[in-house]
Amino acid sequence: MDRRQFIGALAAGVIGTAAGCLSGIDDMTTFSAAPARVSEEAAAEAGYEYRGTRRRVDEERVGGEDIEATSYVSTYDRAIDLPAEQFGDEPVRSGVFGVLTTPQVRVGDADFNPVSDLSNREIADRIQDHYAGLTIERAVGGRALEALGERFSFQTYGGTATLQDEYEADIVLDIVQRDHEDDHIVVVAVYPAADVVPGETARIDTLVRGLEHYDDLEVDLVEEGADGGEE
């Protein structure tokens, strides 16, 4: 699966369709989410590689005021050994994981968040719309675990994805939304289904349990297009 499409789907596909833009306005109130990422220990245990954190700034009018909202998305991926008869002997980066943080904005009696009004199914549909070769078919269950001192309840969807522009494989899409501190967090993972690669769900759970989220968290900010097209 293409991590660049995944980032675009998670950031632009979810936030971009909900937030407006008020260009050219100098006097506005700013709100910023705290970034989130997975601890180095948890990422290493799960075998996922940190690919940096992107910052997104959107502008909106809330409660009669112009506001600027800064969100962050941190992404990870993993090279997975897939059936050699289809994909060859080289591992394919077919597991992707992202954590998006957006600020909860309140101005007077008006509230705004670019994501929190979306259902998990709406997020899944928007990711599918922005992720070429990905088809989300139906909800297939869920699970819950503890992370950041909170209960994270996943919704899991089944579907298919085209890998290496040629082969179709069964995949799983996990989505969880959770308020934490003053932010709204969305966690999304796409990875091969258990009948293709057993045990990948446990790796995703390790990543979620290893989440860190606070104002001074150190992240590697990546500018759009700054990593040679790897975004």
Side-chain angles (χ1 to χ4, degrees):
M1 282 170 277
D2 191 323
R3 180 171 49 84
R4 291 171 293 178
Q5 291 181 23
F6 178 75
I7 294 168
L10 185 57
V14 176
I15 298 179
T17 55
C21 181
L22 304 172
S23 59
I25 297 175
D26 295 325
D27 185 16
M28 62 176 59
T29 305
T30 61
F31 297 85
S32 180
R37 62 171 293 178
V38 178
S39 71
E40 293 183 1
E41 295 78 9
E45 180 182 346
Y48 273 72
E49 184 176 354
Y50 177 47
R51 293 296 189 165
T53 300
R54 283 158 178 78
R55 178 169 49 203
R56 180 183 173 92
V57 179
D58 289 283
E59 299 166 358
E60 187 62 77
R61 191 165 182 83
V62 179
E65 293 187 21
D66 301 317
I67 67 99
E68 181 182 87
T70 299
S71 304
Y72 292 90
V73 56
S74 298
T75 54
Y76 295 76
D77 66 10
R78 185 173 98 84
I80 300 174
D81 290 321
L82 297 176
E85 62 272 16
Q86 288 181 306
F87 300 101
D89 295 328
E90 294 298 321
V92 179
R93 290 200 171 272
S94 51
V96 286
F97 175 93
V99 52
L100 169 70
T101 57
T102 60
Q104 301 279 32
V105 176
R106 185 171 182 82
V107 179
D109 295 330
D111 295 313
F112 169 76
N113 180 276
V115 179
S116 61
D117 288 339
L118 298 176
S119 68
N120 288 339
R121 182 70 230 196
E122 287 172 321
I123 290 176
D125 289 342
R126 291 181 178 190
I127 289 174
Q128 176 181 252
D129 290 344
H130 286 78
Y131 201 150
L134 179 67
T135 300
I136 305 303
E137 296 169 353
R138 65 191 184 283
V140 294
R143 63 192 186 280
L145 54 84
E146 294 292 320
L148 296 173
E150 308 280 358
R151 180 180 174 87
F152 276 59
S153 297
F154 284 87
Q155 179 68 66
T156 300
Y157 298 88
T160 59
T162 301
L163 305 181
Q164 295 181 333
D165 299 322
E166 184 176 1
Y167 298 107
E168 190 173 89
D170 291 336
I171 59 90
V172 170
L173 169 67
D174 281 335
I175 298 176
V176 59
Q177 301 190 67
R178 178 76 227 190
D179 291 341
H180 183 253
E181 302 295 340
D182 295 324
D183 297 335
H184 186 70
I185 297 177
V186 180
V187 176
V188 177
V190 185
Y191 52 94
D195 60 347
V196 180
V197 179
E200 202 64 21
T201 298
R203 294 177 183 269
I204 298 303
D205 290 353
T206 296
L207 295 176
V208 175
R209 290 191 179 98
L211 283 174
E212 301 174 326
H213 171 237
Y214 51 88
D215 284 331
D216 296 326
L217 179 64
E218 183 176 341
V219 294
D220 298 333
L221 286 178
V222 178
E223 298 299 328
E224 294 297 328
D227 57 353
E230 279 292 305
E231 66 199 42

